[in-house]
Amino acid sequence: MEAIRKELSRSYQELNDETDPIARDPEGAQEEEQEEAASAVIPDRDSDRSNTRVRFSRTCLKNVFSVLLIFVYLLLMGVAVFLVYQTITDFRDKLKHPVMSVSYKEVNVYDAPGIALYPGKARLLSCKHHLYDHIPPLIDPGQPGENTCITQNISYTDPYTNSTVKHALIVQGPRDVRRRELVFLQFHLNETKQDFSAIDYLLFSSYDGFLKSTNRVRFMQDCESSFSSWKFSGGFRTWVKMSLVKTKEEDGSQSVEFRQETSVVNFIDRRENPDKGDQLFFVVFEWKDPYIQEIQDIITANPWSMIALLCSVFLVLFKAADFAKLSVKWMIKVRRRHLKKRTRELNHIS
């Protein structure tokens, strides 16, 4: 029995030694716990460092992107300022240099123009209206013929010299442009001491205006001051094709101008033994086409479009300045936050 008890106590002591090593060595257990705690702390510090690096890289990218945006908006602001300057310059140039606008008005019948002829010593032989560009052959040139034109004789003082009295024969011009109405006149001059013979004429816009004028002398003086005069020579048939140009002035008034194209054909004189100084003059007046040319100056500068463009440009400038200010504030805030965090980490490490 005694041997059995010793054997049991020995086995019980061995079991206690195997199951309770910490109780026999408490200092070793504390060292193991500190090592485990240190091993647990080390990976946390590594993860914090990696997270800090990621956050720092993101912050740098955001700062760089913000700086780029600021430069882009500054560039846009420069472009907007240039557009404002260019718009104002273009507007001033358009005000100083209006654009000429040309339009054409089609008519079937013109107002009968006035044809003022200054024959001098020449004598009117015939005057007739014809249609469709057809002039019948001359039966007896140099002899008085049929006169179916409406004419008026007037004398007035030359508006340029105030000393010369001018005698004018006023003839009613053609009206029906669709049927190509024309006026054919024949003059005769049997005595001349000049080396060259010609008859002056001028055109004005309305024969009815001349008839209704209360002061016809003044009317003709104004016409001579306003319109150019032309000539047609003896021994030829001069064909005058007229066109009317109306110009609207800046003050709202309207001026009328005649433009003409002339063609000259030689007259073959078949008369027997004509006098040496005998001259025949033939002239034809006809409308060139049924279009009245109307000219006026148009200012293409639109103040409302310029105002709208300036408002949009200033709005862009305001938005760009606001965005730049917010970007700068955000960068300063991020920088301060980063400095605070870095200071806290340094204090923690120390």
Side-chain angles (χ1 to χ4, degrees):
M1 291 294 291
E2 187 69 27
I4 294 172
R5 286 179 182 176
K6 289 181 180 181
E7 186 67 26
L8 288 173
S9 62
R10 190 183 298 113
S11 61
Y12 179 75
Q13 185 68 33
E14 291 176 356
L15 180 63
N16 289 334
D17 293 338
E18 292 176 358
T19 56
D20 194 11
I22 298 175
R24 290 186 298 107
D25 193 5
E27 293 180 359
Q30 290 179 359
E31 291 178 357
E32 290 179 359
E33 289 178 358
Q34 289 179 359
E35 290 178 356
E36 290 177 359
S39 63
V41 170
I42 291 173
D44 290 339
R45 290 180 180 177
D46 294 338
S47 61
D48 289 341
R49 290 176 182 176
S50 62
N51 292 333
T52 303
R53 291 175 182 175
V54 171
R55 290 175 185 175
F56 180 75
S57 62
R58 290 178 181 178
T59 304
C60 289
L61 289 177
K62 289 181 180 180
N63 292 334
V64 172
F65 185 69
S66 300
V67 171
L68 291 177
L69 281 179
I70 291 174
F71 278 112
V72 169
Y73 275 93
L74 289 176
L75 179 62
L76 291 177
M77 289 174 65
V79 173
V81 171
F82 175 76
L83 286 176
V84 170
Y85 172 77
Q86 192 67 30
T87 302
I88 295 174
T89 304
D90 292 343
F91 183 77
R92 294 179 61 185
D93 290 340
K94 289 178 180 178
L95 286 178
K96 294 179 180 178
H97 304 91
V99 178
M100 180 181 293
S101 172
V102 180
S103 60
Y104 293 89
K105 180 182 178 182
E106 186 176 2
V107 295
N108 294 322
V109 177
Y110 280 95
D111 292 334
I115 305 171
L117 299 137
Y118 303 92
K121 294 182 179 181
R123 180 168 60 96
L124 178 64
L125 296 179
S126 64
C127 179
K128 291 187 67 176
H129 289 256
H130 300 283
L131 299 177
Y132 300 108
D133 288 342
H134 176 68
I135 299 176
L138 298 175
I139 298 175
D140 193 4
Q143 298 299 322
E146 187 178 2
N147 188 353
T148 60
C149 298
I150 300 175
T151 60
Q152 294 284 335
N153 289 284
I154 187 172
S155 299
Y156 61 92
T157 304
D158 192 335
Y160 297 105
T161 61
N162 292 326
S163 60
T164 305
V165 178
K166 306 186 75 170
H167 303 280
L169 173 67
I170 312 299
V171 180
Q172 184 183 26
R175 298 181 67 252
D176 195 348
V177 64
R178 292 296 180 182
R179 295 194 295 172
R180 296 184 179 181
E181 180 185 359
L182 57 87
V183 178
F184 177 59
L185 298 97
Q186 180 183 177
F187 291 87
H188 174 249
L189 180 64
N190 55 7
E191 290 183 4
T192 180
K193 296 181 180 180
Q194 300 177 356
D195 296 330
F196 302 95
S197 59
I199 294 177
D200 296 338
Y201 70 94
L202 67 83
L203 306 171
F204 55 92
S205 59
S206 176
Y207 183 81
D208 292 337
F210 167 76
L211 294 178
K212 295 176 181 179
S213 177
T214 57
N215 190 349
R216 295 182 180 179
V217 172
R218 184 64 180 174
F219 181 88
M220 289 306 303
Q221 289 177 342
D222 292 341
C223 287
E224 189 169 351
S225 301
S226 303
F227 300 106
S228 301
S229 61
W230 295 275
K231 299 178 182 290
F232 59 91
S233 302
F236 298 94
R237 187 193 69 185
T238 303
W239 200 300
V240 179
K241 291 190 175 183
M242 306 174 292
S243 59
L244 193 62
V245 179
K246 294 182 178 180
T247 304
K248 190 174 181 180
E249 305 294 340
E250 294 182 359
D251 57 356
S253 61
Q254 192 175 52
S255 61
V256 180
E257 178 188 359
F258 275 94
R259 295 179 182 176
Q260 61 176 358
E261 296 178 2
T262 58
S263 59
V264 179
V265 178
N266 186 33
F267 169 65
I268 301 175
D269 196 350
R270 294 188 178 92
R271 294 177 297 170
E272 295 181 358
N273 300 322
D275 294 336
K276 187 176 182 180
D278 198 5
Q279 290 285 336
L280 295 178
F281 300 81
F282 305 94
V283 63
V284 180
F285 294 95
E286 180 189 10
W287 287 108
K288 178 184 177 182
D289 50 45
Y291 299 101
I292 299 176
Q293 186 176 352
E294 297 179 346
I295 300 176
Q296 62 178 347
D297 292 334
I298 297 178
I299 297 176
T300 56
N302 189 357
W304 296 109
S305 61
M306 189 192 72
I307 291 172
L309 180 59
L310 290 178
C311 290
S312 60
V313 169
F314 284 125
L315 181 61
V316 171
L317 290 175
F318 176 76
K319 291 295 184 182
D322 191 23
F323 181 82
K325 182 174 68 175
L326 293 177
S327 299
V328 171
K329 287 183 178 180
W330 180 79
M331 289 176 62
I332 294 173
K333 185 178 180 180
V334 170
R335 179 66 177 172
R336 288 177 179 175
R337 186 182 300 172
H338 177 69
L339 291 175
K340 288 181 180 180
K341 188 173 181 180
R342 186 176 180 183
T343 303
R344 191 183 302 115
E345 289 178 353
L346 291 174
N347 293 331
H348 181 72
I349 293 173
S350 63

